[in-house]
Amino acid sequence: MLEAIGAESIEALFDEIPQDLRIKHLDGVPETLGEPELARLMLERAEQDGRPLNFIGAGAYEHHIPAAVWEITTRGEFYSAYTPYQAEASQGTLQVIYEYQTMMTRLMAMDASNASLYDGASALAEAVLMAVRANRKSKSRKVLMPVAVHPTYRATTRTIVDNQDIDLVEVPYDPAGGHTPVEALKQYEGEDITALVIAQPNFFGILEDVDDLTDWAHANGALVIAVANPMAAALLTPPGRWGEKGADIACGEGQPLGVPLSSGGPYYGYMCCRKEHVRQMPGRIVGRTVDRDGRTGYTLTLQAREQHIRRSKATSNICTNQGLLVTASTIFMAIVGGAGLQRIAAASHANTRALVQRFRDNAHVGPVFNRPYFHECVLKVGAPLDSILPGLAEDNLIAGYALAQDYPELEDCLLVCATETKTGQDLDRYADALNRVVGERADAGRTSKPKLA
């Protein structure tokens, strides 16, 4: 190939990149391996993750995935399918995406869905950009972003929109309830606000007053961007029915729908919207039609990205969707069904409540916030987490997410999640281990205190 194009080496193809910007060596990436050696290496690395009892959520959730889901997803016609540019050769792929879109619009009670985005964080960033384009009455480009939205989502959104003259205004959460109170928005009444972001549940697992927040936004001329856990949406009021008019855009992470926790990824983002905003939605939309013989056919209907239309008219530079994961989610939702999703969500909520109840007699461990939650709860632990979590990890327990790294005011607070995958014995094991190590730390603290003279 180099000879055909007249290049001396592979390095010569990248000679425009300055030497000081090049990475000399990638640690952990070996030299060329054969297939058996590569398979063994990847198996060894996967085994390093171990099989701990996992009580961490924080945006990535462990749910049971029926075996049929990935048996079908990894069939050759799905596993190796390329992006469906040629409708006549891609009817199977297009139909799967169409079915996915249909399922997501029903789950979110929205009018339209795109074919997916990269992940939940970038989906929120794209939703903010979309809201700025769609709310033509607003000139401020000001978006209210509650602090209780996932920290990574906020950081990713800020990275993408900061240089596009969009003002992300942080809204504090209530220290007692962990939610975003409508009262926190009063100071913005009468101002030109482009959009309000509402997470349901929020990062703390707390349920927001979505109806009041949505109605406030619409009364003040702002669009509503919902960041909803799709599993929770099966049980709670979906975004399209929030308040009197419903959310304008719904987005979030699709991982809970049939995608395993696999060494940190991959994930995919979903996005739905009301019909009036559909031409501002990034990515692509698959539509259903009939051919000249009256047979059902599928085709890419809207492709408002720069590869298909003029760059100045494009809504995004999103170049593809996470098609394989969307396929898995579509199969997962088809197998489990709407009633199944509700059962999973209800069981997850019940397990988290049962776990929290196991600490009711421990004076050192208990909930931080006093509002309803879905399947995550913030626990205040009466001992330094950096001395507790490693010990629990040695017992093969991932105890939760330490919140102080993102919320310094929540020192020694742990975000704990228990989905339907946990048994009563699992909950007992976790509670016994945490009660034990916290008790030991508390006893050590009492014995080490100096006596008063």
Side-chain angles (χ1 to χ4, degrees):
M1 293 171 64
L2 292 172
E3 183 179 352
I5 64 176
E8 296 180 0
S9 65
I10 292 177
E11 284 296 313
L13 300 178
F14 304 100
D15 60 0
E16 71 276 11
I17 300 176
Q19 287 292 333
D20 60 333
L21 295 180
R22 301 190 191 190
I23 297 175
K24 303 300 186 292
H25 182 71
L26 292 174
D27 294 334
V29 178
E31 297 299 323
T32 304
L33 297 177
E35 183 176 349
E37 293 80 13
L38 181 60
R40 179 174 180 176
L41 174 67
M42 297 307 295
L43 181 61
E44 290 172 349
R45 291 188 174 178
E47 288 174 343
Q48 291 176 10
D49 289 342
R51 296 182 60 83
L53 190 58
N54 175 37
F55 286 89
I56 192 171
Y61 302 104
E62 183 179 15
H63 291 291
H64 171 69
I65 303 171
V69 172
W70 282 91
E71 285 295 323
I72 300 172
T73 302
T74 52
R75 284 176 59 93
E77 54 264 58
F78 293 128
Y79 201 56
S80 60
Y82 188 57
T83 192
Y85 289 127
Q86 294 177 280
E88 65 275 15
S90 305
Q91 284 298 291
T93 300
L94 289 166
Q95 182 176 355
V96 167
I97 296 175
Y98 180 84
E99 300 292 350
Y100 159 79
Q101 293 171 177
T102 302
M103 293 176 182
M104 291 307 299
T105 54
R106 290 178 179 174
L107 186 59
M108 298 295 159
M110 303 293 282
D111 296 326
S113 166
N114 70 6
S116 80
L117 298 165
Y118 291 127
D119 58 18
S122 59
L124 176 56
E126 291 288 346
V128 168
L129 294 173
M130 177 180 169
V132 170
R133 294 191 301 269
N135 193 349
R136 303 191 181 206
K137 294 181 180 179
S138 174
K139 305 302 179 185
S140 69
R141 302 169 72 88
K142 182 182 291 187
V143 176
L144 301 182
M145 178 72 75
V147 174
V149 172
H150 196 303
T152 302
Y153 288 27
R154 289 187 283 121
T156 300
T157 301
R158 190 170 296 281
T159 297
I160 292 175
V161 309
D162 256 6
N163 291 325
Q164 301 193 50
D165 196 28
I166 295 175
D167 185 15
L168 295 180
V169 180
E170 291 193 339
V171 181
Y173 64 88
D174 180 81
H179 65 302
T180 305
V182 175
E183 290 72 26
L185 305 176
K186 296 292 185 181
Q187 60 181 307
Y188 304 108
E189 289 183 356
E191 293 186 19
D192 179 5
I193 303 298
T194 302
L196 169 67
V197 177
I198 306 173
Q200 184 72 332
N202 66 25
F203 185 63
F204 304 133
I206 297 295
L207 303 186
E208 298 277 10
D209 291 325
V210 293
D211 293 335
D212 292 342
L213 293 171
T214 299
D215 288 342
W216 181 93
H218 287 152
N220 287 272
L223 298 185
V224 172
I225 301 172
V227 182
N229 181 327
M231 193 63 75
L235 192 64
L236 307 175
T237 303
R241 299 197 183 105
W242 291 357
E244 291 187 8
K245 298 180 180 178
D248 299 278
I249 305 167
C251 64
E253 177 56 58
Q255 179 273 326
L257 302 176
V259 180
L261 298 178
S262 180
S263 300
Y267 300 136
Y268 78 90
Y270 75 85
M271 180 180 285
C272 302
C273 72
R274 292 162 62 177
K275 187 175 181 180
E276 64 215 64
H277 305 311
V278 71
R279 289 191 174 274
Q280 299 299 333
M281 189 155 55
R284 52 168 65 121
I285 297 176
V286 173
R288 186 176 68 179
T289 185
V290 295
D291 64 12
R292 63 185 179 185
D293 296 322
R295 295 175 300 186
T296 297
Y298 301 90
T299 184
L300 290 174
T301 304
L302 291 178
Q303 304 171 82
R305 61 194 184 98
E306 62 187 19
Q307 189 168 337
H308 298 288
I309 62 178
R310 287 187 311 227
R311 185 182 299 270
S312 60
K313 297 289 185 180
T315 60
S316 173
N317 66 349
I318 290 291
C319 292
T320 189
N321 61 75
Q322 302 288 62
L324 191 67
L325 304 181
V326 163
T327 300
S329 282
T330 306
I331 297 167
F332 175 83
M333 288 187 282
I335 290 175
V336 172
L341 291 177
Q342 290 180 340
R343 285 194 296 269
I344 293 169
S348 298
H349 171 68
N351 270 348
T352 301
R353 285 183 59 86
L355 179 63
V356 174
Q357 279 293 105
R358 280 164 166 78
F359 298 108
R360 63 185 180 275
D361 297 326
N362 189 329
H364 305 290
V365 181
V368 173
F369 302 122
N370 59 16
R371 282 179 58 88
Y373 49 84
F374 173 47
H375 66 6
E376 286 176 286
C377 183
V378 178
L379 297 179
K380 177 69 175 179
V381 180
L385 290 181
D386 56 2
S387 66
I388 289 177
L389 296 182
L392 294 174
E394 290 178 2
D395 288 340
N396 212 28
L397 283 170
I398 299 180
Y401 184 86
L403 287 167
Q405 55 192 311
D406 300 299
Y407 302 90
E409 69 276 14
L410 295 176
E411 185 179 5
D412 297 331
C413 290
L414 201 59
L415 182 62
V416 177
C417 175
T419 66
E420 88 288 358
T421 61
K422 300 299 178 285
T423 65
Q425 290 81 3
D426 294 335
L427 303 183
D428 289 339
R429 179 183 165 193
Y430 178 89
D432 291 345
L434 186 58
N435 282 328
R436 184 187 71 252
V437 296
V438 172
E440 290 172 353
R441 291 290 301 178
D443 291 341
R446 282 193 293 268
T447 57
S448 64
K449 289 181 180 178
K451 294 182 180 180
L452 296 176

